[in-house]
Amino acid sequence: MSSDIDVPSGGVSHNGGARPADGPARTSDRGAATRGALLAAARDVFCESGFAQAAVTDIVAKAGASVGSLYHHFNGKADLYLTLFEDFQGRQQERTREAISAVREAGEKDPMRQFIAGAGAYLNGCLDERDVARLFISGDGPPGFDRVMRQRLNKWARRNAALFHTADGGVDEALVTVLTGAMAGAVSEISLLDDEDAARRLADRTMAIVGTIRNPGTEQR
């Protein structure tokens, strides 16, 4: 991905003198605004048409930009898609982090309860951004995106594992596998449901069931 700065460093003004002090900042702001507009347009076009049917010309027209500006900020349509995915996952990670931090600050020490707080926040993020969540679950992505999804799931599983240490200091791999698989299935079903109320009911029910899963590490202490 190219720089967010829309002009090269240095440069001179039209009268041959040095560029005004606020020139680069203003140009950088324009570049950031163009990049943001392209991402917003790509999100709308992808959600409406799917990745395969989306056209670069439709994206730049919706963004009020040019094809050249798109390729200045991104490597192409697939790069736009992957950037949207990483941005969404970043927001999801922040939601999860904030939820777990909140219950910890409230005195919750049980890893399972911490997991439930974070997982619930993740599902809520899928509900709040159902169009984007559905886009990434639909299977209509650039070549190799399924591998990216698996890597993200594995990374999430490893992060979960940090909550579930066994008495000997290891990781309860079975528990992590069960919880990660359950959440992956829930994310898929919730994202693909057309009825938002039904999706929210499914999310609530899923978290209620997950909350009944026994945490052997906690019970042994």
Side-chain angles (χ1 to χ4, degrees), residues 60-140:
V60 297
K62 192 173 187 65
S66 66
V67 173
S69 65
L70 186 150
Y71 285 101
H72 173 77
H73 292 284
F74 303 96
N75 292 329
K77 189 169 73 168
D79 193 15
L80 278 164
Y81 186 97
L82 293 173
T83 301
L84 286 169
F85 175 71
E86 291 301 327
D87 286 353
F88 174 64
Q89 290 301 324
R91 293 191 296 276
Q92 289 289 73
Q93 183 175 335
E94 183 61 17
R95 289 176 174 119
T96 301
R97 186 196 66 78
E98 289 179 354
I100 293 176
S101 294
V103 296
R104 282 176 172 169
E105 290 174 2
E108 183 60 72
K109 297 182 179 179
D110 181 359
M112 179 60 76
R113 307 314 303 179
Q114 294 176 10
F115 171 83
I116 290 171
Y122 192 99
L123 287 185
N124 284 334
C126 290
L127 289 165
D128 291 343
E129 300 190 52
R130 290 178 68 241
D131 56 342
V132 178
R134 177 179 295 191
L135 172 66
F136 301 130
I137 291 295
S138 67
D140 179 16

Side-chain angles (χ1 to χ4, degrees), residues 112-113 116 207-215:
M112 179 60 76
R113 307 314 303 179
I116 290 171
M207 294 316 304
I209 293 173
V210 169
T212 68
I213 297 175
R214 183 174 62 92
N215 181 353

Side-chain angles (χ1 to χ4, degrees), residues 115-169:
F115 171 83
I116 290 171
Y122 192 99
L123 287 185
N124 284 334
C126 290
L127 289 165
D128 291 343
E129 300 190 52
R130 290 178 68 241
D131 56 342
V132 178
R134 177 179 295 191
L135 172 66
F136 301 130
I137 291 295
S138 67
D140 179 16
F145 183 66
D146 55 341
R147 177 176 55 83
V148 174
M149 286 286 287
R150 286 196 302 272
Q151 290 175 340
R152 177 64 69 169
L153 181 59
N154 289 336
K155 182 178 180 180
W156 191 60
R158 293 303 95 202
R159 188 177 296 117
N160 292 343
L163 295 173
F164 300 110
H165 292 292
T166 56
D168 61 2

